[in-house]
Amino acid sequence: MAPAPADTRSAPRAEHERGRGDAHVPAAGPLRILVCPHELVTGGSQLIAIDLAARLRDRGHVVAVYAPRGPLEERLRERGLTWHPAPRFRGDSLHPAAVARFLRELRAFEPDIVHTYESGPALVAGVAAAALPLRHIESVLSMWVPPHVPDGVPLLVGTVAIARQVAQRSGPVLLMEPPVDTVADAPGDRVAARERLGVDAGAFVVSVVGRLSREHGKARGVIEAIGELDRLGDPAPGVRPVLLVAGAGDEEGAVREAAGRARIDVRMLGDVPDPRDVYDAADVAFGMGASALRALAHARPVIVQGEGGFWRLVEPASAAGFLQHGFFGAGPAGQGLGALVAALAADPDRRRDLGGYGRMLVAERFSAARAVDRLEDLYVSEAAVPAARRPREALRALVRYGRLRAALAAPAAQRAWRRTRGRDV
């Protein structure tokens, strides 16, 4: 295990030296950047936050990560990133003590830019901005932008369709498709990956990496996949199917129960901070969002998982839709997972061709090197604007958050209120 990096919070700002860089630091000089993922459990948004933070640090900026404890602490250590533990960004994240802790973090680190990922940290930063001037950038890489995300600061979203949906917000909306490190995430040795995972070299392997959560039906889709693959059985005579499931979350128990009932070999790997072997071991991968993109970067054929029975193969005929709306979907889209896997299992040449196509698509469209260039430019631009307090925006965000919580607690009453008022939450 690499040693934890030195704490940068108490050091004078002028004492930080410029580090090694993969590009020159802008003329404005190094920035102090506080990066706030919503959790440190393996997932696309969190991995993206860590990767971009490390790249910005390598360009000479002073970067710290403020996030709750989780398995990705090890990844932070490996990347040499300074990490400051935070309380969980959940329903209790707006407790006065939690907001006060975030304010102490801001005063200690004195960031030029605060970059939050997903709605929990964005809301906490928005509330903190009522008391302390700050420059705030928020990324929401989920498939919808919750109404309580502060609307007066730059928002980065992952798809063209979502950018259009939130175009009327008061702050700027910027498209930043989920970046992929195409050097780290590249095709690897399938046989060696299977050996490390204890999977037979001759098995037909289906892999999924992602949060086993209620959100977007992620866990529900994995349970559906277990059922479909169980009904499919052996994809060819004498070929044993294996499903690798890497991830954890609030519905992990339900997925484990489904795996325990299955006749096929389902390997529950838990949270895997570095899932590259899980991708490399696969003959076929499925998933959504950034996880689907990482599987494509490993040159594996990918079936996109969505909500409500959505399964669709990534191929030239479907790519335009995914590039517009994200690697996600809702409702049945034709064939189910079992039929798609059966067709791919019978056609190794097609698997190879689709793997090559997916790798090319990611390399051309989703390069992390290009994404960090754009993010650095945004930081420099925002740092030129004076930090500001935003008490009115904080109040609006809190009201919207309260309405959302009420809707989740009493959905029937909330729907009735919306009908009478003609308004959304």
Side-chain angles (χ1 to χ4, degrees), residues 16 69 81 99 184 189 203 246 262 270 288 293 327 341 362 368 376 399 408:
H16 291 283
R69 302 194 69 93
L81 284 164
V99 176
D189 188 322
M288 61 176 70
L293 289 171
F327 287 74
V341 169
V362 170
E376 186 178 39
V399 169
L408 295 174

Side-chain angles (χ1 to χ4, degrees), residues 306-311 329-334:
E307 291 181 310
F310 180 95
W311 303 100

Side-chain angles (χ1 to χ4, degrees), residues 244-301:
L244 301 178
V245 180
D250 53 35
E251 293 198 342
E252 181 180 355
V255 178
R256 289 187 178 275
E257 288 180 10
R261 295 191 298 267
R263 293 167 297 173
I264 63 167
D265 185 0
V266 182
R267 309 279 183 93
M268 298 294 297
L269 305 178
D271 200 285
V272 180
D274 184 353
R276 287 179 290 182
D277 278 348
V278 183
Y279 293 121
D280 283 334
D283 292 290
V284 177
F286 71 88
M288 61 176 70
S291 178
L293 289 171
R294 294 187 76 191
L296 291 171
H298 284 258
R300 299 299 184 257

Side-chain angles (χ1 to χ4, degrees), residues 13 27 49 80 115 140 165 208 220 222 246 253 257 290 312 316 331 355 375 378 381:
R13 293 168 62 95
H115 188 167
V140 176
Q165 291 170 12
V208 57
R220 181 55 48 192
V222 176
E257 288 180 10
R312 191 168 184 187
L375 188 58
L378 176 61
S381 174

Side-chain angles (χ1 to χ4, degrees), residues 317-360:
S318 64
F322 287 132
L323 293 175
Q324 181 81 5
H325 299 285
F327 287 74
F328 186 72
Q335 292 179 301
L337 177 73
L340 292 170
V341 169
L344 290 169
D347 195 341
D349 290 340
R350 180 156 170 75
R351 295 202 304 271
R352 184 192 63 244
D353 292 346
L354 287 173
Y357 171 74
R359 172 69 187 179
M360 178 191 69

